[in-house]
Amino acid sequence: MKLYLLRHGETSWNVQGRYQGVSDIPLSPEGMAALRPADFAVGTVIVSPLARARQTAQILFPKAAQEVEPGLQEMNFGRFEGRTAQEMEEDAAYRAWVDSGCMGPVPGGESMAEFSGRVCSAFSRVLDKALSQGPDPLAIVAHGGTLMAVMERYAAPRRGYFAWQAPNGGGWLLEAEPGPCLRVLHPVCCAKDGAPC
């Protein structure tokens, strides 16, 4: 089955370098303007419940039905949300988290293991259901961290979490098989000509 795994468009917090996590930040006007309808069609698009993913899916797939999957939300950055790395330079908890390779627990949020476990469990359920319903292509529109967690766990060739960074409005076309196993076919960009992707 063909699977399009895509990151939402740009928000004002993306531009400012703020941790947005589960904060429900919408696409910026510039982020909306940079996207174009996808040049491929799907009947259903699975989305995170956060506005930036749902808005992106509406622009990319205006005729597709949206199904919300709460488990595909971005990582909960707890007390780091809404702040930039520069603003937290003197925050001991933030420094400890960065020094752990961003793997440790976030005060009031999730650890990397908790986040990845949540996302991959939700993704596996979504994919199993889609595969059982037939070969029609499926799209998922979610978040940068969500995509990295899925790709690290299931994609071939194997790469580490931070190696799977997708641009806003970008992602991958994958061949999805039970397991799950994801074979990368090629990158996908849903930005208008001249917009970064």
Side-chain angles (χ1 to χ4, degrees), residues 101 103 112 116 144-166 172:
M103 298 291 158
M112 180 64 74
S116 184
T146 304
L147 272 62
M148 290 190 282
V150 167
M151 296 296 281
E152 178 189 38
R153 178 82 57 95
Y154 300 122
R158 295 286 185 200
R159 295 166 63 186
Y161 178 87
F162 293 106
W164 290 109
Q165 295 183 47
W172 297 275

Side-chain angles (χ1 to χ4, degrees), residues 72-89:
L72 297 177
Q73 287 189 98
E74 180 60 278
M75 184 171 176
N76 184 340
F77 290 108
R79 75 177 223 202
F80 303 156
E81 297 219 1
R83 302 165 72 192
T84 68
Q86 186 176 14
E87 291 169 352
M88 295 186 284
E89 283 179 339

Side-chain angles (χ1 to χ4, degrees), residues 59-144:
I59 295 168
L60 302 188
F61 309 106
K63 295 180 181 177
Q66 289 190 17
E67 290 185 16
V68 174
E69 173 47 65
L72 297 177
Q73 287 189 98
E74 180 60 278
M75 184 171 176
N76 184 340
F77 290 108
R79 75 177 223 202
F80 303 156
E81 297 219 1
R83 302 165 72 192
T84 68
Q86 186 176 14
E87 291 169 352
M88 295 186 284
E89 283 179 339
E90 304 303 320
D91 184 318
Y94 179 71
R95 293 298 335 145
W97 180 68
V98 170
D99 290 345
S100 77
C102 304
M103 298 291 158
V106 173
E110 295 175 289
S111 68
M112 180 64 74
E114 291 168 335
F115 166 65
S116 184
R118 165 174 62 78
V119 165
C120 291
S121 176
F123 174 79
S124 184
R125 284 194 311 272
V126 165
L127 187 60
D128 285 349
K129 179 181 175 183
L131 287 168
S132 74
Q133 293 175 342
D136 291 345
L138 177 70
I140 296 176
V141 178
H143 309 275

